[in-house]
Amino acid sequence: MNAALPHGKNAVALALLVLLTVLKGGIALADQVWASFDPPGSTDTEPTSINTVQTVTGYYSDGFRDHGFVRTFDGAIATFDPPKSRGTYPQSINSKGAIVGWYARRHHVTHGFLRTADGQITTFDPPGSAATAPYSISNKGIVVGSYQDGGGTFHGFVRAADGTIAGVDVKGASGTVLRSIDPDGVATGYFFDSSNASHGFVRQANGSIDTFDVPGASNTVPVSIDPFGFVGGNYQVPGSKMPHGFLRQANGTIETFDPDGSVQTDVRCMSANNALVGTYSTGARAHGFLRSPIGKILNIDYPGSKSATASAIMQGIAGSYFDGKVWHGSLLTH
């Protein structure tokens, strides 16, 4: 476990300094900015992804249904839904402003969508899909995700920039899920064995697959990959359903971690330089966290919040916070 960490303003200052030192070479601490935001009519705002120009996407509830939103760096917010959507869930935004995610039409059946920066929406499903869940889009427009066939089996998929879709299955697996793709087309995800335990894998752009597990884990669930081949995610140990965090280096070395006081750790995203963000629970409340490339873990909590999350990192950290009544979107930048 890590040594005791600073709290409040000092923790936020140090966290952002670490982040921006990694990403931009460092800035003055006085330049930090917290922003709170909500789409109009929101009763619950959940950011899921941020790109290199601080554009944030995610979803929000109007009290009845969930809708997609995109917030640009100047604070302007646009909301959107694919046609006939009964719930819209953006998952990833690339540097060009293209967004992918899924939406539900009826009976909780989900379909994939791609929204361009100018607001045009294309919907899609892999052949044979009964439920589609895109998770990540690269700067080249390549999308990865998973789908379920009519029998309920999960398969991974890769959707090329021209719309061509290819299925991906780990050999011998009873199910496959692709979660994240890097700028060169290298992807990570997990697969299920015959006992329904999950294992991690990295898929090269040429289709070759290497599998791995966190040592001693009963389940390994990668969620993010960076351009240098580092993979971040979560794992569980036998006899427990509580998740913990891990970072796998490109050479296969795996480090495990939990913020101090954590009873469960949920890694959500990784920066281009293997800084990790996510959420952990102490049992009493939730906190956002930042784990720097050198292993320092710091709280990322909106000032005065009752609970908080950190869900995306790029040129800033996006998340949400609870004010005691509703959840709002948050953004820590400079």
Side-chain angles (χ1 to χ4, degrees):
M1 299 294 289
N2 295 287
L5 302 174
H7 297 283
K9 292 182 179 179
N10 290 335
V12 172
L14 181 55
L16 195 59
L17 177 61
V18 171
L19 166 66
L20 293 169
T21 297
V22 171
L23 297 180
K24 298 194 71 176
I27 62 164
L29 295 181
D31 292 336
Q32 300 166 69
V33 177
W34 272 108
S36 172
F37 65 89
D38 291 290
S42 175
T43 61
D44 184 359
T45 302
E46 183 64 33
T48 56
S49 186
I50 184 172
N51 70 7
T52 53
V53 294
Q54 300 177 9
T55 300
V56 178
T57 192
Y59 56 92
Y60 72 97
S61 173
D62 63 7
F64 300 95
R65 292 181 180 176
D66 295 327
H67 310 272
F69 75 84
V70 57
R71 179 190 186 273
T72 53
F73 72 94
D74 59 358
I77 297 176
T79 63
F80 65 89
D81 289 288
K84 300 181 180 179
S85 173
R86 294 174 179 264
T88 303
Y89 304 94
Q91 298 295 306
S92 178
I93 184 169
N94 68 12
S95 62
K96 298 178 181 179
I99 297 169
V100 295
W102 63 82
Y103 71 101
R105 288 190 62 179
R106 59 181 181 176
H107 305 306
H108 305 292
V109 175
T110 61
H111 307 271
F113 74 83
L114 169 64
R115 181 187 187 271
T116 60
D118 62 3
Q120 298 182 49
I121 295 177
T122 300
T123 62
F124 64 89
D125 290 288
S129 175
T132 302
Y135 285 107
S136 180
I137 183 169
S138 75
N139 289 337
K140 296 178 181 179
I142 302 172
V143 178
V144 297
S146 70
Y147 71 95
Q148 282 183 284
D149 61 26
T153 298
F154 286 93
H155 306 271
F157 74 83
V158 177
R159 183 183 188 271
D162 65 3
T164 304
I165 299 176
V168 174
D169 289 293
V170 175
K171 186 177 180 180
S174 63
T176 302
V177 176
L178 278 170
R179 283 296 304 265
S180 180
I181 186 169
D182 78 2
D184 294 321
V186 181
T188 193
Y190 53 94
F191 67 95
F192 301 101
D193 62 23
S194 58
S195 64
N196 210 37
S198 58
H199 310 269
F201 70 88
V202 174
R203 179 184 185 271
Q204 302 299 320
N206 64 9
S208 64
I209 291 176
D210 296 314
T211 64
F212 68 90
D213 285 292
V214 173
S218 56
N219 288 287
T220 300
V221 182
V223 297
S224 192
I225 188 169
D226 79 357
F228 302 100
F230 284 66
V231 174
N234 305 295
Y235 73 98
Q236 295 171 320
V237 297
S240 174
K241 294 183 178 180
M242 296 299 186
H244 309 273
F246 78 83
L247 176 67
R248 181 183 188 266
Q249 298 179 26
N251 64 8
T253 301
I254 295 176
E255 305 169 62
T256 61
F257 67 91
D258 287 288
D260 281 349
S262 174
V263 296
Q264 57 180 333
T265 302
D266 180 13
V267 173
R268 302 281 184 89
C269 187
M270 182 161 49
S271 74
N273 298 78
N274 58 82
L276 296 168
V277 296
T279 302
Y280 75 95
S281 173
T282 60
R285 61 163 291 174
H287 302 269
F289 73 83
L290 165 71
R291 183 185 189 272
S292 78
I294 60 173
K296 298 294 184 182
I297 301 177
L298 301 150
N299 278 8
I300 301 293
D301 290 339
Y302 189 86
S305 62
K306 304 297 183 182
S307 279
T309 71
S311 53
I313 180 172
M314 192 55 69
Q315 298 294 354
I317 298 174
S320 58
Y321 72 94
F322 185 60
D323 65 4
K325 295 181 179 180
V326 298
W327 287 86
H328 307 273
S330 66
L331 181 61
L332 179 59
T333 58
H334 63 90

